[in-house]
Amino acid sequence: MSLRSERVTPRLLRGWGLPDPGDSKYSRGTVLVVGGALRSPGAAILAGTAALRVGAGRITLAVARSVAPSVGAAVPESGIVALPETDQGSVRAEAGAVLVPELDRVQAVLIGSGLDDIEVAGRLLASLAAEAPESVVFVVDAFALGALAADPDLASAVRGRLILTPSPTELGVLLDEDEVNAGDAREIRRAAREAARRYGAAVATQSLVADADGSAWAIPAGGAGLGTSGSGDVLAGAVAGFAARGVSPARAAVWATYVHATAGGELARGTDGVGFLAGELAPRFPGVIADVR
């Protein structure tokens, strides 16, 4: 298999285009974000906001009961589902029963943002994947990636409509390998393609996106500043937002990675490349998309 990848440019993205936004929020899709334990409610906030900033019409943030009111206040544009939690504020596996009724109203599910228990993440992914309509796209991030690595069969119900957003470390876990060398572009491409094939998914990792058919795309923008707390949650939310709009999994991952990286490059100008916050990325997304189009 060739390890080459196609360079992503505004011209390529213009050729792909984006679905017509329609005339209401319902025509641009709804994202369900499942995460937000007591220790990390901001992850769900960052992800949900990013989904809206790339044009999704609606978001529902499903978070631990104790943080649900504050999350709702922080993102007044969102719907909120309060999930059962442990005494320590971790989401309980029984939350799946609360979430299943939401599935008929969404186009994309992002699971993992702010979850803090791999076993619970796996049980939630299993229950939601089994019950979701076949049109729903799943984006798997953070602890849910660890759950998928522990039980690859979790991907079977959603193959072909699954997007993974691992770091190089998480990519190695998905492949049961030592950490993938983040500085070796060829090694990243190999590992991303293998994970895409193994799980039947589009895989977005660093500045590369790979699809299960062997295709790969490289995004030239970005920089060290994107390696900051919460940046991955923003990327995962953007991926889910594009998917909810009706963009195919691989193209949703490419669009999101490009927009995320370009916003990071803009924020890094005039600095030494670091120091901006993950929360500053998403407000730039509409302008980046407008520049492409």
Side-chain angles (χ1 to χ4, degrees):
M1 178 188 297
S2 170
L3 291 181
R4 292 183 178 179
S5 54
E6 183 173 5
R7 182 182 175 91
V8 176
T9 64
R11 181 177 181 180
L12 173 70
L13 296 174
R14 281 195 296 272
W16 287 358
L18 289 172
D20 189 288
D23 57 5
S24 81
K25 60 187 178 183
Y26 299 101
S27 63
R28 300 199 308 278
T30 298
V31 175
L32 172 64
V33 179
V34 181
L38 176 62
R39 288 176 57 89
S40 47
I45 292 171
L46 289 169
T49 301
L52 290 176
R53 288 291 191 176
V54 300
R58 300 171 68 243
I59 59 168
T60 297
L61 304 181
V63 297
R65 182 176 291 117
S66 59
V67 299
S70 58
V71 168
V75 191
E77 300 87 353
S78 68
I80 297 293
V81 176
L83 301 177
E85 61 185 349
T86 67
D87 291 342
Q88 292 74 40
S90 298
V91 174
R92 298 175 63 92
E94 291 79 3
V98 179
L99 292 168
V100 166
E102 300 291 324
L103 295 174
D104 287 332
R105 297 189 285 268
V106 306
Q107 284 67 50
V109 173
L110 166 56
I111 181 167
S113 300
L115 292 179
D116 57 5
D117 186 302
I118 287 179
E119 182 180 351
V120 168
R123 291 175 65 181
L124 289 174
L125 177 57
S127 61
L128 296 179
E131 297 293 337
E134 292 186 359
S135 59
V136 175
V137 175
F138 277 75
V139 182
V140 176
D141 188 39
F143 270 55
L145 289 168
L148 191 60
D151 184 5
D153 287 342
L154 289 172
S156 60
V158 290
R159 291 181 70 90
R161 52 191 176 101
L162 176 63
I163 308 171
L164 310 180
T165 55
S167 67
T169 299
E170 292 165 334
L171 188 57
V173 171
L174 285 167
L175 296 176
D176 193 24
E177 298 179 359
D178 292 335
E179 181 177 346
V180 175
N181 184 357
D184 186 336
R186 183 179 177 86
E187 174 64 5
I188 289 284
R189 286 195 298 271
R190 178 206 63 79
R193 276 194 167 106
E194 173 58 22
R197 183 199 63 78
R198 182 176 301 186
Y199 293 96
V203 175
T205 183
Q206 287 196 323
S207 59
L208 185 90
V209 174
D211 199 10
D213 66 1
S215 303
W217 299 266
I219 292 82
L226 290 174
T228 188
S229 180
S231 179
D233 300 304
V234 175
L235 173 62
V239 172
F242 280 117
R245 292 188 62 180
V247 181
S248 69
R251 291 187 177 187
V254 172
W255 264 105
T257 304
Y258 176 88
V259 169
H260 181 259
T262 302
E266 291 178 356
L267 287 166
R269 289 175 188 162
T271 73
D272 63 356
V274 298
F276 58 84
L277 304 180
E280 297 176 284
L281 290 162
R284 290 183 173 263
F285 289 176
V288 173
I289 294 170
D291 287 345
V292 169
R293 302 188 74 183

